[in-house]
Amino acid sequence: MGDPGLGRMFNEFIGTQISWLLPLAVLVLVAALILRGVRPRTDFPRAVLILWGCWLLTHVAVLSSTSGGPHPYYTASMAPALAALVGIGCVTLFPLRWALPVMVAVSGLWGSILLIRTSTFLPWLGWIVLAGTVAAVVGLLLPRWKPVAAIVAAIVVLAGPAVFSVITPFQRIIFTNPLAGPASTWMGGPGGKGGFGGDPNGPFQDLSSPTGDPASYRKMLDYLQARQGSATWLVAVPSSQYAAPIILRTGRSAMAMGGFIGSDPTLTLSQLRKYVRQGQVRYFLVYPGQVPPRFADPVLAGWVTAHCPVVKPAAFAAAFTQDALVLHDCGPAKGSS
């Protein structure tokens, strides 16, 4: 997400994710509170502004100062406050002659900057938004052209976020760090740029393979689905980094034994053995050998390795690559001790 500081909300990673309307929201919040400042303490519209304003500013403060690799999608929690403040503020300020041109100028200018800065994606759109912003502001100051200018203003203010929203479903799925807009190779989080593996095209970036070979991965999933039976989980894996693509590809449950990156104590050894005895989970994908505790629970992985035989890759006509996860079969006769 970039270095801590207020500028983080507007940098190259976060800007196009949440800040399209952020300057406008802050502007209308301050202006609307000033206008309603002389009202009684029980003034409901002012209370609503304070509610959403505190929501927004708290998130801005926390996300701007947080260290340790937060992800851009955390900013989604700001969206309700942004929507509420922009809507309420615009209605409150609309009767003021100066308000609408100022709001359009602020939002249109910032939107054009974000689009121009994202030069690899529709590089011409930012300049069109900039030209449209100038035209809309001038038109809003001229009573004769105000109706047409208002339509142009709505288009230029919403052009950036609308385009980024529309294209998002058609982008490559980045399940460890979902982003709005054109697909990005920046992953953030543990491991820094390129994600966990440092490779922007690696297995954590899309629905490819924790075995290092997409073809092998697909065949392994077919193998597991054909043998799941009544088990609750199709397979157990070290973390949600591996569970997410399995769930998305198969539509079935996958157990993330260590939570998000493998270090969360979500499961005890006794619980794991109980699930195996009850037939709720049979197959496990674990790291071979020793792995850092941050990325997997060595106790759980050690028990699986000691009690459950490896499923030979030949069983599903595919081969694992070096340093990949290894599939173990903890069927009732093998893992019940």
Side-chain angles (χ1 to χ4, degrees):
M1 284 179 67
D3 296 330
L6 185 58
R8 173 184 277 176
M9 292 295 102
F10 305 96
N11 67 20
E12 60 182 306
F13 302 127
I14 306 301
T16 55
Q17 301 302 301
I18 197 64
S19 76
W20 299 96
L21 300 177
L22 182 55
L24 175 59
V26 174
L27 174 65
V28 298
L29 171 64
V30 174
L33 285 176
I34 292 174
L35 289 176
R36 305 199 70 86
V38 297
R39 302 299 177 94
R41 181 179 59 83
T42 55
D43 182 57
F44 181 74
R46 185 175 61 186
V48 173
L49 287 168
I50 293 174
L51 167 66
W52 291 115
C54 289
W55 179 322
L56 178 65
L57 297 179
T58 298
H59 280 81
V60 169
V62 171
L63 293 175
S64 295
S65 58
T66 300
S67 59
H71 289 77
Y73 69 80
Y74 296 171
T75 58
S77 59
M78 298 165 56
L82 280 173
L85 287 173
V86 170
I88 296 170
C90 288
V91 171
T92 302
L93 300 178
F94 186 80
L96 302 178
R97 184 174 182 273
W98 57 267
L100 192 56
V102 171
M103 290 187 290
V104 172
V106 170
S107 298
L109 178 59
W110 177 238
S112 66
I113 292 174
L114 289 174
L115 290 168
I116 293 171
R117 198 165 64 184
T118 314
S119 59
T120 58
F121 172 70
L122 300 181
W124 47 266
L125 182 58
W127 296 106
I128 291 179
V129 169
L130 180 59
T133 298
V134 174
V137 171
V138 172
L140 290 170
L141 295 174
L142 302 174
R144 180 181 178 183
W145 294 100
K146 193 170 183 178
V148 176
I151 296 174
V152 175
I155 293 174
V156 297
V157 168
L158 299 177
V163 169
F164 268 61
S165 298
V166 168
I167 69 170
T168 297
F170 303 99
Q171 300 302 297
R172 177 168 56 91
I173 298 176
I174 307 175
F175 60 88
T176 57
N177 186 26
L179 299 173
S184 172
T185 57
W186 184 85
M187 296 301 294
K193 196 167 186 177
F196 284 77
D199 176 8
N201 299 310
F204 293 96
Q205 312 303 309
D206 53 29
L207 295 182
S208 60
S209 165
T211 66
D213 174 18
S216 167
Y217 186 43
R218 288 191 293 269
K219 292 176 181 178
M220 181 191 68
L221 292 182
D222 291 340
Y223 176 88
L224 292 173
Q225 291 180 86
R227 291 161 177 78
Q228 181 178 2
S230 60
T232 303
W233 291 281
L234 179 67
V235 64
V237 292
S239 69
S240 64
Q241 308 296 326
Y242 290 113
I246 293 174
I247 295 170
L248 289 172
R249 185 175 288 277
T250 66
R252 304 192 186 187
S253 298
M255 179 193 292
M257 293 185 288
F260 183 56
I261 63 172
S263 60
D264 298 325
T266 60
L267 187 69
T268 65
L269 179 57
S270 61
Q271 290 173 323
L272 177 66
R273 295 172 62 183
K274 178 182 177 181
Y275 289 144
V276 172
R277 286 196 305 269
Q278 293 176 344
Q280 295 188 59
V281 60
R282 173 176 177 176
Y283 292 100
F284 290 77
L285 274 170
V286 297
Y287 289 101
Q290 297 296 318
V291 295
R294 181 182 182 186
F295 297 109
D297 188 327
V299 175
L300 301 181
W303 184 87
V304 170
T305 302
H307 291 81
C308 308
V310 173
V311 177
K312 300 300 182 182
F316 40 89
F320 289 102
T321 58
Q322 187 177 5
D323 298 326
L325 296 179
V326 175
L327 182 65
H328 291 259
D329 182 356
C330 293
K334 308 168 185 66
S336 60
S337 60

